[in-house]
Amino acid sequence: MQGAIDSTTAAAANGHAVEAHEEHQDLRVLGLITFLASEFLMFAGFFAVFLVFRGSNAEWPPKETEVELLLPAVNTLILVSSSWVINLGTKAIKKNDLAGMRKWFGITVAMGAVFLVGQVYEYMNLGYGLRTNLFSNCFYLTTGFHGAHVFIGLVLILGVLWRSRRADHYSSLAHTGPEMAEIYWHFVDVVWIVLFSLIYLLTLIK
Amino acid sequence: MFKPFNKTRFMAQAEVSIKPTEDQGGHGHPDKWKWYDYFTFNVDHKVIGIQYLVTSFLFYLVGGFMAVLMRTELATPDSDFLSPELYNAFLTNHGTIMIFLWIVPAAIGGFGNFLIPLMIGARDMAFPKLNAIAFWLNPPAGALLAASFFFGGGAQSGWTSYPPLSEITANLPQTLWCLALIMVGTSSILGSVNFLVTIWKMRVPSMKWDQMPLFCWAMVATSILALFATPVLAAAMVLLLFDINFGTSFFKPDAGGNVVVYQHLFWFYSHPAVYLMILPIFGIMSEVIPVHARKPIFGYKAIAYSSLTICLVGLFVWVHHMFTSGTAPWMRIFFTISTLIVAVPTGVKIFSWVATLWGGKIRYTTAMLFAVGLLSMFVFGGLSGVTLGAAPFDIHVHDTYYVVGHFHYVLFGGSVFGIYSGVYHWFPKITGRMLNETLGKVHFVLTFIGTILTFTPMHQLGMQGMPRRVAMYDPQFADLNQLVTVGAYILAVSVIPFYFNVLWSWRSGKEAGPNPWNALTMEWTTDSPPIIENWEVLPVLTHGPYEYGMDKAVQVGPAGEPTEATQV
Ligand code: HEM
Ligand SMILES: [Cu+2]
């Protein structure tokens, strides 16, 4: 991983040569955003499929596969607020406050982990599985894919924490890593908000 | 990893002056790559570009071999040469390989990677590691397809893999097929991120957007399309995988699923995919034609913006592949109109190239012959596309050989001709040696005749009602099919002079020098092949990319001395 960062930094340096007047214009951030825009469309595909099936089935979700609402709502709160927490972390490192960054990133990891555990707990208590019916197909596939992205986000944040054990790795001048982790985490959050609205909240409207 | 020397050292002196003095170049000339570097995980964009090109040209042979076997089967109406299952497997993998492992990696990965940094004055792509990863996703994808033949005889359901067929036939091979597509799709997304950021942020400061070579504009449009369309294909593949392997029923009508949903997802990607395969080729055309006609390109802005228009409109035409899938009348009307609209920016390009040729000092190099050949072929294929875009006509010929004729005219007469043209044009830059022009002309003539003979009668067959994707057919179609098979054999023979030429010239062709065509774009200002970091000192833009025939166009040679670049 270290090597990957090195070689892209060299390229980024080239970018700096091009736009020397622009501060902190790191190409990796731009690349990540471009990539996530693309990634979002994969979820859009799943959402579209969900909506088509919703529109074409009289009973959606069918009787025996209703969704739980309370736990996911709490989970939503946790995930959304964690987006705010991680932002405090990158704000801290921009002020050279490494300890602050480690604290907020640590809390984010905890919140993300709670979210995942909550998700698994929900799965285990729903009483239906992936194969039960078309709705459960969509439900597990979409939430599962999102969960996988949450997991990747956690790995990224943990990676930042791991590197930050060396006091001089991140600073107010070098914080692309934390920034990218934050952007990714916001992405996971945004996808969840759409997902929660579609799969959970929409069931309230018959 | 390969770190022959420190990249950042060169950054410091980027843009210093037009004429480097001895001490500015005094960091020592970096070494060239060794042959075995090309077989490793290398992050140099030129190595990656060559890796893409060579790999895709190998897959081209594999896909072509399958085509020859299929045409041999179709020489007679009965199924007497290949078993129907094997025919289906070849049909599926021919299409898949030709699209995903030949044209896409050659046109986008190959030319895109090799040329873009050289054309915009960058030392590499924005994310070299990511770039190498993107390339190395391709060979395993090919291996998966090969494996699908050994574990269950190959996928059966065509390159479109519509359910229910794809879910009830050859499950394991179909699964491998889906995984292969997810891999090439990922590769394509990573590559596009790289292209976009590179073109956006890494041009030499002296190059404004409207001084960029048109190939770069084409790659911007291509990358945007790939970014927005490919993830939707990935979604479709994931759903298909789950249906096949994990008991879901997204596309199983008996359990409430819907096969047409798959078609929408698939074509939302795969119509744009046809532009992925032609936009880079349009870019190649816009480079080759002005150089070999010694004239400024006609309508630079029109060509640049029409790429973006195609990219935008191309996202909203996909249902023209589904006119017969129970599509609602309003949709047929909407998508007929949007489809016909795409023909307009395409026409803009065609007319611009013709206008560029008009009154030019045309050099009949092989690159130019293929470019002009492409023009004629593509107009024909574009016209048959317009006829297919009209729902009332399409309903009659959908899933017949007319469609096969159409897309081979655009894909072979368009994309493949364009790749050939690009190879003849940039081979000197890539290898430092010229291709043999006589062999090139033999190659062109055989290809041109073969293409017409193979793909024109298909339109007639389709109009008469011969369905596509069949191993046996009604005897009334035999004559034209035999003609097609003869054409296919000519095409098979046509690649022999080409591959021979490439292999031979790579070792012992005539030395090319930095700028054998007297071209004005930046890739020609460095050595052939370019040194590892492309330039000792980054070039400075002193003129537009196509200012041929204008007496002030002076080019900075590799050693810094101005060279006379125009010869009018
Ligand atoms: C003026 C431009 C074009 C128009 C209006 C057009 C229109 C169409 C239409 C309506 C179809 C569907 C026919 C059917 O299935 O019944 C079709 C099929 C196809 N086109 Fe085009 N096309 C154009 C250019 C291209 C280009 C540039 C390419 C590729 C380089 C291409 C590749 C294909 C392929 C591969 C298919 C067949 C897909 C399949 O069913 O397997 N087309 N085209
Ligand atoms: Cu199409």
Side-chain angles (χ1 to χ4, degrees):
Chain A
M1 256 334 243
Q2 186 67 45
I5 298 300
D6 283 343
S7 81
T8 42
T9 317
N14 195 349
H16 277 277
V18 174
E19 312 234 330
H21 46 279
E22 253 177 88
E23 280 285 315
H24 295 296
Q25 184 44 273
D26 193 303
L27 295 184
R28 276 179 292 160
V29 171
L30 210 63
L32 179 68
I33 294 174
T34 321
F35 175 77
L36 291 179
S38 180
E39 187 79 354
F40 190 81
L41 270 127
M42 192 175 81
F43 281 101
F46 293 144
F47 293 152
V49 170
F50 178 84
L51 284 176
V52 168
F53 287 143
R54 180 176 190 273
S56 57
N57 281 273
E59 205 190 22
W60 190 261
K63 272 265 153 12
E64 73 286 14
T65 51
E66 245 102 49
V67 287
E68 155 87 11
L69 268 172
L70 182 63
L71 175 64
V74 175
N75 244 348
T76 306
L77 267 181
I78 294 176
L79 196 65
V80 172
S81 27
S82 74
S83 240
W84 176 68
V85 173
I86 196 171
N87 181 255
L88 291 178
T90 42
K91 271 197 183 133
I93 192 67
K94 282 178 191 168
K95 286 191 217 119
N96 255 338
D97 173 9
L98 186 68
M101 184 201 90
R102 292 180 60 106
K103 177 180 74 188
W104 295 120
F105 270 50
I107 297 178
T108 312
V109 170
M111 293 170 93
V114 169
F115 176 89
L116 279 185
V117 171
Q119 184 87 60
V120 172
Y121 180 83
E122 184 192 348
Y123 284 173
M124 298 201 314
N125 288 282
L126 273 177
Y128 56 86
L130 171 71
R131 303 174 186 208
T132 309
N133 60 25
L134 196 57
F135 177 81
S136 78
N137 294 169
C138 291
F139 173 82
Y140 279 99
L141 184 102
T142 318
T143 53
F145 251 77
H146 175 264
H149 281 73
V150 175
F151 184 77
I152 296 171
L154 286 183
V155 172
L156 290 180
I157 301 176
L158 285 172
V160 169
L161 282 175
W162 173 249
R163 284 196 184 166
S164 67
R165 75 196 185 284
R166 256 183 42 214
D168 59 347
H169 196 86
Y170 298 119
S171 70
S172 62
L173 293 174
H175 48 70
T176 311
E179 220 173 321
M180 288 171 73
E182 182 194 346
I183 292 172
Y184 188 87
W185 198 249
H186 292 325
F187 165 76
V188 166
D189 205 10
V190 169
V191 171
W192 176 258
I193 292 173
V194 181
L195 189 161
F196 184 69
S197 317
L198 288 182
I199 295 190
Y200 294 91
L201 292 184
L202 266 188
T203 60
L204 296 175
I205 313 162
K206 284 288 159 186
Chain B
M1 267 323 118
F2 293 94
K3 262 205 175 57
F5 65 100
N6 190 342
K7 291 179 191 225
T8 43
R9 269 204 319 232
F10 273 91
M11 301 305 138
Q13 47 151 336
E15 299 278 324
V16 187
S17 78
I18 302 180
K19 291 188 178 186
T21 55
E22 270 312 309
D23 59 310
Q24 275 171 329
H27 291 302
H29 206 297
D31 285 323
K32 307 245 181 239
W33 298 113
K34 299 274 186 308
W35 64 269
Y36 47 77
D37 290 327
Y38 291 86
F39 294 87
T40 59
F41 187 89
N42 189 308
V43 298
D44 182 340
H45 73 98
K46 298 184 292 298
V47 175
I48 295 173
I50 292 172
Q51 287 173 330
Y52 267 114
L53 280 172
V54 170
T55 318
S56 57
F57 267 97
L58 289 176
F59 280 120
Y60 181 37
L61 287 183
V62 178
F65 182 64
M66 292 177 179
V68 168
L69 293 180
M70 284 192 289
R71 277 323 309 178
T72 307
E73 166 64 64
L74 294 172
T76 57
D78 296 328
S79 169
D80 41 18
F81 178 61
L82 303 170
S83 72
E85 287 74 24
L86 196 55
Y87 184 90
N88 282 348
F90 281 156
L91 172 90
T92 304
N93 286 281
H94 161 77
T96 309
I97 289 174
M98 288 305 200
I99 289 174
F100 296 106
L101 292 169
W102 153 235
I103 294 181
V104 169
I108 305 180
F111 287 111
N113 278 306
F114 191 91
L115 293 175
I116 285 178
L118 285 169
M119 282 182 162
I120 63 174
R123 298 206 180 274
D124 206 324
M125 300 287 282
F127 313 112
K129 271 261 160 64
L130 204 65
N131 207 15
I133 294 173
F135 167 74
W136 283 104
L137 284 168
N138 285 275
L144 282 179
L145 291 183
S148 77
F149 275 86
F150 295 104
F151 301 101
Q156 298 283 306
S157 50
W159 84 280
T160 51
S161 284
Y162 280 9
L165 197 58
S166 53
E167 298 193 349
I168 58 177
T169 54
N171 283 343
L172 181 56
Q174 193 69 51
T175 302
L176 297 174
W177 183 89
C178 290
L179 291 174
L181 254 70
I182 290 177
M183 291 176 87
V184 292
T186 310
S187 162
S188 163
I189 292 176
L190 298 182
S192 303
V193 169
N194 232 328
F195 291 135
L196 271 185
V197 177
T198 306
I199 296 176
W200 186 3
K201 287 289 175 190
M202 295 179 58
R203 280 168 289 132
V204 283
S206 46
M207 184 183 280
K208 304 283 167 287
W209 279 100
D210 61 357
Q211 293 167 326
M212 231 165 48
L214 284 164
F215 179 75
C216 300
W217 276 104
M219 288 304 297
V220 169
T222 308
S223 306
I224 295 176
L225 263 187
L227 278 177
F228 284 121
T230 319
V232 179
L233 176 76
M237 290 301 115
V238 168
L239 297 178
L240 198 57
L241 270 178
F242 269 73
D243 265 15
I244 295 174
N245 296 297
F246 305 116
T248 56
S249 43
F250 296 105
F251 309 132
K252 291 177 187 152
D254 45 351
N258 186 341
V259 292
V260 178
V261 170
Y262 174 88
Q263 297 186 13
H264 278 292
L265 293 176
F266 181 82
W267 287 114
F268 184 83
Y269 165 76
S270 287
H271 179 80
V274 311
Y275 293 111
L276 295 187
M277 293 186 275
I278 204 68
L279 280 171
I281 303 300
F282 287 169
I284 291 175
M285 289 288 279
S286 302
E287 301 302 328
V288 170
I289 288 182
V291 173
H292 297 266
R294 311 310 301 164
K295 258 190 73 189
I297 190 95
F298 181 92
Y300 175 94
K301 286 206 167 131
I303 294 181
Y305 298 157
S306 63
S307 288
L308 298 178
T309 315
I310 290 179
C311 159
L312 187 74
V313 184
L315 282 169
F316 301 98
V317 301
W318 77 92
V319 177
H320 66 215
H321 295 272
M322 301 167 55
F323 284 142
T324 59
S325 305
T327 306
W330 72 265
M331 271 185 153
R332 286 179 172 177
I333 294 172
F334 176 88
F335 284 97
T336 292
I337 293 173
S338 64
T339 302
L340 300 192
I341 289 176
V342 197
V344 176
T346 315
V348 167
K349 285 177 188 290
I350 304 270
F351 284 120
S352 299
W353 294 325
V354 173
T356 307
L357 288 170
W358 193 275
K361 279 193 158 184
I362 297 175
R363 300 189 291 205
Y364 290 100
T365 53
T366 312
M368 186 59 151
L369 288 176
F370 272 107
V372 177
L374 187 156
L375 264 181
S376 58
M377 297 283 172
F378 192 80
V379 166
F380 192 89
L383 287 179
S384 66
V386 170
T387 62
L388 287 170
F393 180 76
D394 180 66
I395 288 164
H396 288 280
V397 293
H398 175 68
D399 262 349
T400 70
Y401 257 85
Y402 188 90
V403 174
V404 182
H406 156 68
F407 68 70
H408 281 94
Y409 252 88
V410 281
L411 283 173
F412 201 98
S415 306
V416 177
F417 270 53
I419 292 171
Y420 281 148
S421 175
V423 168
Y424 282 99
H425 185 69
W426 280 294
F427 188 87
K429 181 52 57 185
I430 295 172
T431 65
R433 293 180 186 276
M434 307 297 289
L435 281 169
N436 180 297
E437 280 289 318
T438 313
L439 278 174
K441 277 162 194 155
V442 173
H443 173 216
F444 171 74
V445 170
L446 285 174
T447 313
F448 195 77
I449 297 174
T451 308
I452 292 177
L453 215 53
T454 312
F455 302 120
T456 320
M458 289 183 177
H459 295 82
Q460 175 77 10
L461 283 168
M463 303 272 276
Q464 291 170 357
M466 177 173 165
R468 65 190 278 207
R469 294 179 169 163
V470 289
M472 38 200 135
Y473 52 84
D474 195 284
Q476 60 159 318
F477 301 127
D479 293 350
L480 282 175
N481 268 297
Q482 273 148 14
L483 199 59
V484 171
T485 299
V486 170
Y489 286 162
I490 295 180
L491 282 182
V493 173
S494 78
V495 300
I496 296 172
F498 176 73
Y499 280 80
F500 176 78
N501 196 354
V502 165
L503 291 178
W504 184 80
S505 303
W506 206 320
R507 296 204 46 161
S508 18
K510 201 170 99 225
E511 294 269 353
N515 192 358
W517 309 123
N518 261 317
L520 288 176
T521 38
M522 256 186 200
E523 75 271 26
W524 302 102
T525 62
T526 183
D527 292 355
S528 306
I531 57 174
I532 283 181
E533 294 263 330
N534 296 349
W535 291 274
E536 300 269 349
V537 174
L538 288 183
V540 174
L541 197 79
T542 52
H543 51 75
Y546 307 111
E547 290 173 1
Y548 298 100
M550 304 185 176
D551 32 3
K552 291 230 183 57
V554 169
Q555 185 122 8
V556 181
E561 69 278 23
T563 53
E564 192 56 48
T566 48
Q567 41 134 244
V568 176

